[in-house]
Amino acid sequence: MDNVIRRRTPRARLLRAGLYALLIAAALVYLLPLVVMVLTSVKPIEEIRAGALLSLPSHFTLDPWIKAWSSACTGMRCDGLSGYFVNSIKIVVPAVAISTLVGAINGYALTKWRFRGSELVFAMLLFGCFVPFQVVLMPMARTLGWLGLASSVSGLVLVHVVYGIAFTTLFFRNYYVAVPDEMINAAKLDGAGFFRIFWRILLPVSGPIITVSVIWQFTQIWNDFLFGVAFAGFDSQPVTVALNNMVNTSTGVKEYNVDMAAAMIAALPTLVVYVLAGKYFVRGLTAGSVKG
């Protein structure tokens, strides 16, 4: 094999170099908006107004980041993201944990403990993956009001759990199909019950698909705007709604550096998740793609 690699023809080397050049060029094109955002966020507003969009900052400053993070909110205008960033964390953490756990149990029940109508239940959950967000706004608002959870962080957690269960169930169901039924049957013969099999056998081998579910749910919930603006009160708004309020304000001087810093702050968690765990996301998606 090593000899084959060493004897690669000049044409193959040229094609390989061209492929790398194309990939690098595509990466630079996709990274250009991010570069512009970062450069703009560390420039004084006077330098931005001079039209130096892609140039390095003459006077580096973190004041826009500080202002975007810690300024106060008055009326309907949001000038700082710190409190709303915390709101998003309060929404994301329990919603991801609950939807992932419920999806795992559902996937386990639908594959290893089949019951009458299980296929219909799975078809209904699968259908839920394709229901547009806008369709559930009115019935969900009435449900939250009936439960006393309207305009609260707990209400948003419930909304994201309900909407995320369909996706997490699909992930875990497809993954658990590849787990040999003989393992489950042997555990049943030894007297293990439903939850004992789940905790002792299925969950320990579910690392890849748990990673997929967590990354998927985290990015979907953190980047959500529609549910946040529809169901949150002023004090329970997620960071995406606060960012929209900040960027779209029509009063005072437009501070593009603060807007870009705020956008970077709001996007940092999802960027970090994908940079650190992106490869595990792909591995998890393919781990249950082949049975056996």
Side-chain angles (χ1 to χ4, degrees), residues 97-119:
I98 295 172
S99 60
T100 299
L101 179 60
V102 174
I105 295 175
N106 287 346
Y108 164 52
L110 291 172
T111 54
K112 305 307 178 185
W113 291 74
R114 295 181 181 273
F115 51 90
R116 185 184 298 271
S118 61
E119 294 299 328

Side-chain angles (χ1 to χ4, degrees), residues 76-161:
M76 293 302 294
R77 164 159 168 78
C78 179
D79 294 318
L81 297 182
S82 56
Y84 302 95
F85 194 94
V86 174
N87 284 344
S88 287
I89 295 175
K90 292 179 179 178
I91 295 168
V92 166
V93 173
V96 170
I98 295 172
S99 60
T100 299
L101 179 60
V102 174
I105 295 175
N106 287 346
Y108 164 52
L110 291 172
T111 54
K112 305 307 178 185
W113 291 74
R114 295 181 181 273
F115 51 90
R116 185 184 298 271
S118 61
E119 294 299 328
L120 177 61
V121 171
F122 176 69
M124 294 174 64
L125 286 170
L126 185 62
F127 176 76
C129 296
F130 301 98
V131 175
F133 284 14
Q134 293 82 356
V135 174
V136 303
L137 290 182
M138 185 60 68
M140 186 63 73
R142 293 177 64 89
T143 302
L144 292 178
W146 179 66
L147 294 174
L149 297 175
S151 302
S152 67
V153 171
S154 299
L156 283 173
V157 171
L158 177 62
V159 170
H160 288 295
V161 167

Side-chain angles (χ1 to χ4, degrees), residues 99-100 103-104 122 125-131 133 160-174 209 212-213 216-217 220:
S99 60
T100 299
F122 176 69
L125 286 170
L126 185 62
F127 176 76
C129 296
F130 301 98
V131 175
F133 284 14
H160 288 295
V161 167
V162 170
Y163 207 89
I165 284 175
F167 292 95
T168 56
T169 299
L170 176 62
F171 293 152
F172 281 95
R173 189 261 185 190
N174 291 342
I209 202 63
V212 170
S213 178
W216 174 270
Q217 282 292 87
Q220 293 295 312

Side-chain angles (χ1 to χ4, degrees), residues 13-31:
R13 293 175 183 173
L14 183 61
L15 290 175
R16 187 180 181 87
L19 177 61
Y20 276 112
L22 181 62
L23 292 175
I24 292 172
L28 292 176
V29 170
Y30 280 105
L31 286 174

